[in-house]
Amino acid sequence: TIRLIREGRAPREIGLYLHWPFCPSRCLFCFCYMGVPDSTGILQRHAQSLRAELTAFAEVFQGVPFTSFYFGGGTPTFMPDAELESILTLVRRDFPMDPVADICMEVSPVTVTDNKMDILRAHGINHITLGVQTLDPVVLRGLDRKGQTPEVVRRAHRLVSHGGRTLVSIDLMLGLQGQTEDSFLRDFRWALGVRPYDIRVYVFDP
């Protein structure tokens, strides 16, 4: 892809993916590249490295309009506010986006706040993926998904959908330990009821 860009023959559609590999806890179903930091200093040093990498790649992609941007993890909303602000500032300044680009970020119900949503909206994030997975308190306890309760999920959904200008996708999982057909269907009916942009169901198979 980089060779084609340098030759002036860039693909018509190019997506930019950014990864934040930290979470407040490790969910038992997760096989993503992530870790639980033992200090905020680790988060700050990684953010510094990420800024350096963005700066290095900005020159390579100069003049290439991206048709999508996805900020995933890990848990991007687990970043300190100042680091999130600085990284999104670099992305939006140095990586031009197509006017109709899908600019998406993963959001955890436990870590999303009013301040973080203000930052996302200010930098043009137009699509949120809310990682609900399940609302069942019994299943949540077994997953070690610290801090998540059904009310936390509902509050998070209200935050990310406030104003109605942002597309909201909801992630659910099927096949979690302790989950029943009835509990999954309750989750699914709740997701249908809040009328998201889409619902993505991932099947867990250990």
Side-chain angles (χ1 to χ4, degrees), residues 160-179:
V160 300
S161 58
H162 179 69
R165 295 185 299 275
T166 304
L167 301 178
V168 179
S169 298
I170 291 177
D171 285 355
L172 296 176
M173 293 195 72
L174 176 64
L176 297 171
Q177 185 173 356
Q179 192 178 47

Side-chain angles (χ1 to χ4, degrees), residues 184-206:
F184 172 77
L185 289 175
R186 281 196 299 272
D187 294 343
F188 194 77
R189 290 188 187 104
W190 170 82
L192 285 175
V194 298
R195 301 179 64 83
Y197 172 69
D198 62 8
I199 301 170
R200 305 171 186 188
V201 179
Y202 296 91
V203 178
F204 178 65
D205 181 0

Side-chain angles (χ1 to χ4, degrees), residues 145-157:
R145 199 164 167 83
K146 288 184 171 60
Q148 183 167 321
T149 65
E151 184 46 44
V152 165
V153 170
R154 294 183 178 97
R155 178 194 62 83
H157 182 265

Side-chain angles (χ1 to χ4, degrees), residues 1-147:
T1 299
I2 291 174
R3 179 179 58 79
L4 291 173
I5 289 169
R6 287 173 172 163
E7 293 173 356
R9 299 187 295 121
R12 188 171 58 86
E13 295 186 356
I14 298 181
L16 177 65
Y17 175 75
L18 210 59
H19 189 78
W20 181 254
F22 298 105
C23 293
S25 61
R26 178 180 285 279
C27 303
L28 297 183
F29 59 77
C30 181
F31 292 96
C32 295
Y33 180 75
M34 58 74 64
V36 179
D38 55 15
S39 72
T40 57
I42 292 175
L43 303 182
Q44 292 164 342
R45 288 194 296 275
H46 189 80
Q48 184 177 4
S49 297
L50 191 53
R51 285 191 293 269
E53 192 168 10
L54 285 167
T55 299
F57 273 100
E59 184 178 349
V60 174
F61 290 107
Q62 191 171 10
V64 177
F66 286 86
T67 53
S68 67
F69 169 57
Y70 194 92
F71 197 170
T75 305
T77 45
F78 185 48
M79 300 176 71
D81 289 1
E83 307 294 1
L84 179 61
E85 172 77 44
S86 68
I87 286 172
L88 287 178
T89 296
L90 275 180
V91 169
R92 298 313 310 270
R93 186 191 72 190
D94 295 339
F95 297 84
M97 301 283 166
D98 187 278
V100 294
D102 185 63
I103 305 173
C104 185
M105 183 161 170
E106 288 183 10
V107 169
S108 156
V110 175
T111 58
V112 66
T113 63
D114 285 299
N115 284 344
K116 284 194 167 61
M117 286 309 304
D118 287 342
I119 292 169
L120 301 194
R121 293 185 180 108
H123 289 283
I125 303 297
N126 57 28
H127 189 172
I128 295 291
T129 295
L130 186 61
V132 174
Q133 319 312 349
T134 179
L135 286 86
D136 187 322
V138 174
V139 179
L140 286 168
R141 283 195 295 273
L143 293 176
D144 196 29
R145 199 164 167 83
K146 288 184 171 60

